[in-house]
């Protein structure tokens, strides 16, 4: 028990001899004080000081380079827990696919990894990493968010503030090095994790006084983490800045970019400025990470939900121009506006899948080689809008859903290094379909809520409303 920061059993006997004769009340008070002291047993119970001890049996990295392909992010609920039969069904779905999977350091299914400085609890991370290993996926860790004591909160295993405001608070600058040290601890604990994303969406890095992003602060944190990870292993792949690529209505002029724009809107110039600063002052990067939506900050899909995905192409092209063609990842991408609870349940599943497929095509055309679907998994229930599989808490859960078919097929059909080709589309069909092809496969999306007959790559075929069709090339 001494490794947890409290007095060992032998030490208690010595204390008993030393204070023999002291009133029981005084002794009880002493024990209470010791337990409540910073690093005392109440604050650190269940933790370990050996956080960097290698966990489990690391797998052989599948993708040692900067590209990992197309996958998903584990959120608050996932298939690492639940009914044994349901979780096994998801494991069987994923096994052998090599689908990359993101897990965050803290939040989104992971507890506080370092509730007291130097005392670690990776139990949730261990379970998620074990799940990724078991399913043969490529593990990616997003290094967000930070323990409370790094951002002005109270240390201790019971003192984590899980409110959205607290979780999305950035570390204090005085603790940037502590966060970098935590990142290095994670890298040593999971040596098969070869890809790390630094932070998430600039959370906590907004400068109210200047009404812009605190890109100086983020870049300082990024550089410290980058160097700490490279010190652990120079072959670890590190990327950022994971900025939300916000856009505004085309008629808006305030903060609107005059260069990166289209029918879908104009990029927020403050975002481009933040990206430019990071890009010019970064210590290094093996890949570049962005996220964002096809709709504007006011949830407008312009001029419609399918054409709006052209924004993802324009953003990708701009980013690649700035970074000298660093591999481009989309850590998150959204094509359906959320409601007041940020739920996306307003479309039918065929509609949702069709627009998501158009978003994937748009990202590829913008130069992206990797992207991650944010899996909106529910804890329970018979339905799950936009989820990859049904919730695993019930015995009949873990059944694949249409979005899983899209993401997994896209990953298999268009892996990193794919050489894309242009295929012929009949003139009358050009406005109605979205197409992506290589030398083996053609992906076709019907953008209309009605059946059509389309001619693509010399093949004539019927398509149902919002159908996503895969063609084998002859």
């Amino acid at each position: 028990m001494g490794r947890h920061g409290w007095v060992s059993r032998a030490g208690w006997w010595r204390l008993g001899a030393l204070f023999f004769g002291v009133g029981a009340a005084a002794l009880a008070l002493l024990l209470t004080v010791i337990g409540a002291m910073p690093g005392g047993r109440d604050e650190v119970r269940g933790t370990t000081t050996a956080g960097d001890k290698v966990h489990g049996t690391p797998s052989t990295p599948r993708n040692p380079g900067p590209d990992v392909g197309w996958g998903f992010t584990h959120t608050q609920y996932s298939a690492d827990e639940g009914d044994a039969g349901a979780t096994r069904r998801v494991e069987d779905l994923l096994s052998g696919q090599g689908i990359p999977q993101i897990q965050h350091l803290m939040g989104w299914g992971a507890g506080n990894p370092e509730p007291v400085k130097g005392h670690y609890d990776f139990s949730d991370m261990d379970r998620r990493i074990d799940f990724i290993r078991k399913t043969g996926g490529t593990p990616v860790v997003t290094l967000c968010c930070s323990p409370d004591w790094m951002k002005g909160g109270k240390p201790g295993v019971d003192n984590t503030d899980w409110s959205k405001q607290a979780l999305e608070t950035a570390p204090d600058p005085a603790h940037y090095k502590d966060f970098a040290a935590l990142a290095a601890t994670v890298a040593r604990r999971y040596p098969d994790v070869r890809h790390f994303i630094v932070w998430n969406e600039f959370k906590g890095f907004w400068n109210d006084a200047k009404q812009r992003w605190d890109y100086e602060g983020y870049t300082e944190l990024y550089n410290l983490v980058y160097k700490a990870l490279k010190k652990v292993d120079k072959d670890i792949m590190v990327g950022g800045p994971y900025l939300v690529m916000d856009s505004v209505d085309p008629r808006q002029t305030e903060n609107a970019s005059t260069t990166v724009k289209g029918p879908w809107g104009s990029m927020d110039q403050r975002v481009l400025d933040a990206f430019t600063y990071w890009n010019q002052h970064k210590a290094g990067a093996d890949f570049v990470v962005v996220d964002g939506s096809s709709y504007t900050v006011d949830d407008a899909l312009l001029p419609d939900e399918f054409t709006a995905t052209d924004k993802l192409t324009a953003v990708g092209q701009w980013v690649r121009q700035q970074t000298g063609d660093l591999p481009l990842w989309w850590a998150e991408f959204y094509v359906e506006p959320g409601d007041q609870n940020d739920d996306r349940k307003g479309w039918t599943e065929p509609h949702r899948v069709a627009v998501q497929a158009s978003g994937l095509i748009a990202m590829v055309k913008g130069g992206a080689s990797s992207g991650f679907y944010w899996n909106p998994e529910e804890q329970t229930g018979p339905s799950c809008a936009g989820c990859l599989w049904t919730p695993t808490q019930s015995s009949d859960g873990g059944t694949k859903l249409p979005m899983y078919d899209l993401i997994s097929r896209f990953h298999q059909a268009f892996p990193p290094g794919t050489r894309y080709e242009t295929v012929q589309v009949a003139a009358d069909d050009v406005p109605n379909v979205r197409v992506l092809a290589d030398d083996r496969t053609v992906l076709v999306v019907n953008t209309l809520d009605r059946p059509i007959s389309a001619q693509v790559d010399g093949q004539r075929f019927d398509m149902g409303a919002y159908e996503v069709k895969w063609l084998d090339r002859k």
Side-chain angles (χ1 to χ4, degrees), residues 259-424:
T259 56
V260 188
K261 59 183 182 178
W264 43 267
S266 301
M267 283 297 300
D268 188 323
Q269 185 61 46
R270 295 170 298 182
V271 174
L272 303 185
D273 292 342
F275 186 95
T276 299
Y277 182 91
W278 169 82
N279 187 46
Q280 293 176 348
H281 296 86
K282 65 184 184 299
D286 299 292
F287 54 91
V288 60
V289 187
V290 297
D291 92 342
S293 63
S294 58
Y295 43 87
T296 68
V297 292
D298 296 318
D299 292 344
L301 289 160
L302 302 172
D304 60 72
E305 70 270 39
F306 288 96
T307 311
T309 62
D310 292 342
K311 169 190 170 179
L312 307 180
T313 299
V315 168
Q317 290 172 340
W318 181 85
V319 168
R320 296 269 286 170
Q321 290 170 357
Q322 307 307 305
T323 61
D325 289 339
L326 273 177
L328 171 60
W329 293 21
W330 284 83
E332 302 174 42
F333 53 95
Y334 300 94
V335 298
E336 179 183 4
D339 60 18
Q340 64 272 19
N341 298 318
D342 204 32
D343 292 326
R344 292 165 175 81
K345 301 179 179 180
W347 293 351
T348 65
E349 206 65 15
H351 188 188
R352 179 176 294 112
V353 172
V355 187
Q356 287 286 354
S358 296
L360 288 166
I361 292 171
M363 287 187 287
V364 165
K365 290 185 175 180
S369 55
S370 301
F372 294 84
Y373 179 72
W374 189 271
N375 186 22
E377 198 64 40
E378 302 283 353
Q379 184 177 19
T380 58
S383 62
C384 198
C387 298
L388 300 179
W389 53 78
T390 55
T392 56
Q393 292 298 322
S394 58
S395 60
D396 60 348
T399 302
K400 72 173 181 176
L401 294 171
M403 197 65 73
Y404 175 82
D405 284 331
L406 171 64
I407 299 299
S408 61
R409 183 70 182 270
F410 200 92
H411 174 70
Q412 297 300 326
F414 305 120
T418 295
R419 297 176 65 87
Y420 295 96
E421 298 184 359
T422 300
V423 296
Q424 289 188 336

Side-chain angles (χ1 to χ4, degrees), residues 159-175:
N159 295 325
T160 301
D161 184 348
W162 288 108
S163 67
K164 186 175 187 293
Q165 180 180 359
L167 184 64
E168 297 186 354
T169 297
D172 294 336
H175 289 295

Side-chain angles (χ1 to χ4, degrees), residues 421-451:
E421 298 184 359
T422 300
V423 296
Q424 289 188 336
V425 179
D428 291 344
D429 296 319
V430 170
N432 304 330
V433 298
R434 296 261 162 159
V435 178
L436 184 68
D438 64 4
D439 60 345
R440 300 167 302 155
T441 306
V442 183
L443 168 61
V444 186
V445 181
N446 177 12
T447 66
L448 301 178
D449 189 15
R450 61 174 176 80

